[in-house]
Amino acid sequence: AYRHLSEFLPGFVVRKQQQQMVQRVSGVLSAEGRGLIEAPTGTGKSIGYLIPGIVTAVEQDKVLVVSTATASLQDQLASKDIPLAIKALAGAGIPGTQWAGAKGRERHLCPVKLEALTSTTDLFNQGDKPLHDKIGDLWESGSWDGVRDTLPMRIDRQAWSQVANTSASCVGEGCPSYEGCPYYEAIGKAKKARVIITNHDYLLANFANVDKSYLCDSERNIFVFDEAHHLSDKILSA
């Protein structure tokens, strides 16, 4: 799989440290052990753990859960590193690796809230309605997946909070928009995936508060914590 990277990444150069990381991660995961790896910028750490992590997950019929400290790295993995690793694995004879992202509930749109805001007209209090109308158009057209991070426009916290999914307002399966809800669709996709990309805050919140969360099943999951130097503070916060 590592050798196949050059077919999909123009200018790819084999790096000894990256090869060493692939081998070390593979050995640790195969032995169901624990490992701590530090490597400088430019090593290619994401590929260094993704390839052996996915291979081990396939071999052991488990799920690779990769957790990052920042949403930006989570998005980078989703848009760049995961697709590249999957292509390289397919070239090595491991096709069809499904992956999914897992983010906090509040990062997802609540269609019911959006409909309530866009279906009313108040000429004297427009507020954020023009922005919500644009979001509604994107959602209705199917050109947006309902996740704040992929919204093709800037939106401040207050405006987003008016349409965000929250545990206080969500009624789950009793909601008329349950089918097609971005949050529950994301959960459904993640439960079927071989690889899940999440973040420390969401993963640790599940460990702390959600009994029997699919993210916290230590018998089923292999965990990789990227940006692990933030982990102690995140654990204390959770």
Side-chain angles (χ1 to χ4, degrees):
Y2 187 79
R3 288 196 296 270
H4 279 282
L5 286 171
S6 60
E7 300 173 17
F8 307 105
L9 188 62
F12 174 75
V13 176
V14 172
R15 283 166 276 187
K16 184 178 180 181
Q17 287 179 314
Q18 191 176 44
Q19 288 181 314
Q20 290 174 333
M21 183 171 173
V22 169
Q23 293 167 354
R24 181 62 59 87
V25 173
S26 178
V28 169
L29 296 183
S30 296
E32 299 186 3
R34 298 178 179 88
L36 179 64
I37 295 175
E38 184 177 16
T41 301
T43 302
K45 294 185 285 291
S46 299
I47 292 298
Y49 63 70
L50 282 173
I51 286 180
I54 295 173
V55 169
T56 304
V58 171
E59 287 181 339
Q60 297 182 2
D61 192 24
K62 292 189 175 183
V63 175
L64 178 67
V65 177
V66 178
S67 180
T68 70
T70 59
S72 59
L73 179 55
Q74 188 179 2
D75 292 338
Q76 176 191 314
L77 288 170
S79 63
K80 179 183 176 183
D81 298 322
I82 283 284
L84 176 62
I86 288 175
K87 287 178 182 178
L89 288 159
I94 304 178
T97 302
Q98 291 182 290
W99 71 273
K103 296 185 176 183
R105 177 191 289 271
E106 71 284 351
R107 309 299 296 180
H108 298 81
L109 171 75
C110 172
V112 173
K113 287 184 177 179
L114 180 65
E115 183 179 1
L117 287 171
T118 56
S119 61
T120 57
T121 303
D122 186 345
L123 297 177
F124 299 100
N125 185 22
Q126 286 291 303
D128 295 310
K129 190 174 187 305
L131 179 58
H132 292 146
D133 286 341
K134 291 180 181 179
I135 293 175
D137 291 339
L138 290 170
W139 176 246
E140 290 295 329
S141 68
S143 58
W144 175 53
D145 62 1
V147 180
R148 180 181 180 180
D149 306 275
T150 58
L151 193 63
M153 63 182 73
R154 292 182 63 86
I155 182 170
D156 62 38
R157 181 176 298 181
Q158 181 178 350
W160 175 255
S161 68
Q162 296 176 59
V163 296
N165 191 324
T166 64
S167 58
S169 61
C170 182
V171 296
E173 295 183 17
C175 177
S177 297
Y178 178 78
E179 295 292 335
C181 171
Y183 177 63
Y184 288 105
E185 282 204 338
I187 290 177
K189 183 179 179 182
K191 287 182 176 180
K192 298 176 183 178
R194 178 68 69 185
V195 183
I196 300 174
I197 307 299
T198 187
N199 57 77
H200 299 347
D201 288 318
Y202 185 55
L203 178 60
L204 294 170
N206 274 269
F207 269 113
N209 303 310
V210 183
D211 291 336
K212 298 182 180 178
S213 168
Y214 70 97
L215 283 174
C216 307
D217 186 346
S218 59
E219 296 296 321
R220 168 181 175 265
N221 299 341
I222 298 169
F223 295 98
V224 172
F225 293 93
D226 202 334
E227 300 179 313
H229 54 288
H230 295 288
L231 198 53
S232 57
D233 289 338
K234 296 288 187 180
I235 290 171
L236 290 171
S237 176

